[in-house]
Amino acid sequence: MNFLARSVINIARNCIANSIQGCNLTKLCENSYSQGNILNVTRTSVSTILQGLAQIRFASSLMQMHRRGGPYKKRKPSKNPLDGAPFLKGVILKTIIKKPKKPNSANRKCVVVRLSNGKEMTAYVPGIGHNLQEHNIVLCRNGRLRDTPGVKIKCVRGKYDLPHVSKRE
C-alpha cells in the first residue's frame, strides 16, 4: 500500500476513534457542528480526505508505467447493428425505394428485413435489379449506405433467395 493511502487511512481511523470517545471534531473540519453531530463530521472529513486522495497522482517510475500499459481507456460501445455478428439471416417484410441525401439523386432499392435476432431494419440491395418479394430470405451484412439515412446493413448477393447480378449485354 502506498504511503499516502496509509496516512489517509490513519487519519480516518483517528477521526472515528475520537468521535467514539466523544471528542469535539470541529477543529478538524473547521465547521460549526454541534456535539450530537459527531458522526456526520467524521463522515464529511473522511470523504474530503478521500476526494483529495483521488485528485493526487501517484508518482510512478517509467518502468511501472511501461508495465501497466499507459492510461486506461474506456472501451467504446460497438456500433455494429447486428449485435457483433458478421452476418445474419433475415426475412423480407417489404420492398421499398429510398431517396438519398442532397447531392445524389438515384433511387436506392431497399428492403425492410426482420433479422434472426428479432430486429427490424432497412437493408440495401446492391447491384442492378433484384426479384425480392415478401417472405423471401436474405443474408445481411454490415455496411451502411452513406447517402441514405437509416440504412445500416446490406444484403449479400448470391445467397438464399437473392441471386447474383444477371449478366448484362
Side-chain angles (χ1 to χ4, degrees), residues 6 9 23-25 29 31 36 41 43 46 52 55 91 99 108 110 122-123 132 135 140-141 144 147 151 159:
R6 254 190 249 131
I9 289 170
C23 181
N24 192 357
L25 289 175
C29 297
N31 289 333
V41 173
R43 224 178 271 133
V46 169
Q55 292 172 356
V91 179
K99 289 185 166 41
R108 308 281 180 243
C110 299
T122 308
L132 290 176
H135 306 303
C140 295
R141 66 177 174 87
R144 74 188 187 100
D147 62 357
V151 180
K159 199 76 179 152

Side-chain angles (χ1 to χ4, degrees), residues 93-135:
L93 302 176
K94 186 168 52 168
T95 57
I96 53 175
I97 292 175
K98 288 202 139 208
K99 289 185 166 41
K101 287 200 277 188
K102 193 63 182 281
N104 300 335
S105 60
N107 291 333
R108 308 281 180 243
K109 278 66 177 180
C110 299
V111 288
V112 177
V113 181
R114 177 179 284 122
L115 298 168
S116 57
N117 64 0
K119 288 184 179 178
E120 286 185 17
M121 301 191 78
T122 308
Y124 174 65
V125 182
I128 298 168
H130 67 81
N131 58 353
L132 290 176
Q133 301 172 8
E134 197 175 341
H135 306 303

Side-chain angles (χ1 to χ4, degrees), residues 11-168:
I11 292 170
R13 239 185 245 140
N14 290 337
C15 285
I16 293 167
N18 290 341
S19 69
I20 291 170
Q21 291 171 1
C23 181
N24 192 357
L25 289 175
T26 53
K27 295 171 189 171
L28 258 176
C29 297
E30 298 176 3
N31 289 333
S32 56
Y33 285 101
S34 64
Q35 285 288 331
N37 259 344
I38 293 174
L39 282 175
N40 288 341
V41 173
T42 308
R43 224 178 271 133
T44 53
S45 63
V46 169
S47 67
T48 53
I49 290 168
L50 291 176
Q51 285 173 0
L53 177 66
Q55 292 172 356
I56 297 171
R57 279 201 175 144
F58 298 110
S60 302
S61 67
L62 285 174
M63 196 61 213
Q64 287 170 331
M65 286 192 281
H66 176 70
R67 227 181 297 131
R68 193 182 69 199
Y72 300 111
K73 293 181 182 174
K74 286 184 184 174
R75 193 162 195 173
K76 291 181 183 174
S78 174
K79 286 187 177 179
N80 189 340
L82 304 182
D83 297 334
F87 299 98
L88 275 184
K89 193 197 285 192
V91 179
I92 293 178
L93 302 176
K94 186 168 52 168
T95 57
I96 53 175
I97 292 175
K98 288 202 139 208
K99 289 185 166 41
K101 287 200 277 188
K102 193 63 182 281
N104 300 335
S105 60
N107 291 333
R108 308 281 180 243
K109 278 66 177 180
C110 299
V111 288
V112 177
V113 181
R114 177 179 284 122
L115 298 168
S116 57
N117 64 0
K119 288 184 179 178
E120 286 185 17
M121 301 191 78
T122 308
Y124 174 65
V125 182
I128 298 168
H130 67 81
N131 58 353
L132 290 176
Q133 301 172 8
E134 197 175 341
H135 306 303
N136 280 5
I137 295 174
V138 290
L139 188 70
C140 295
R141 66 177 174 87
N142 286 314
R144 74 188 187 100
L145 209 56
R146 291 187 182 185
D147 62 357
T148 313
V151 180
K152 293 182 175 65
I153 57 176
K154 293 180 181 176
C155 296
V156 177
R157 299 288 312 224
K159 199 76 179 152
Y160 302 130
D161 293 336
L162 180 59
H164 289 289
V165 178
S166 58
K167 190 173 183 182
R168 295 184 303 151

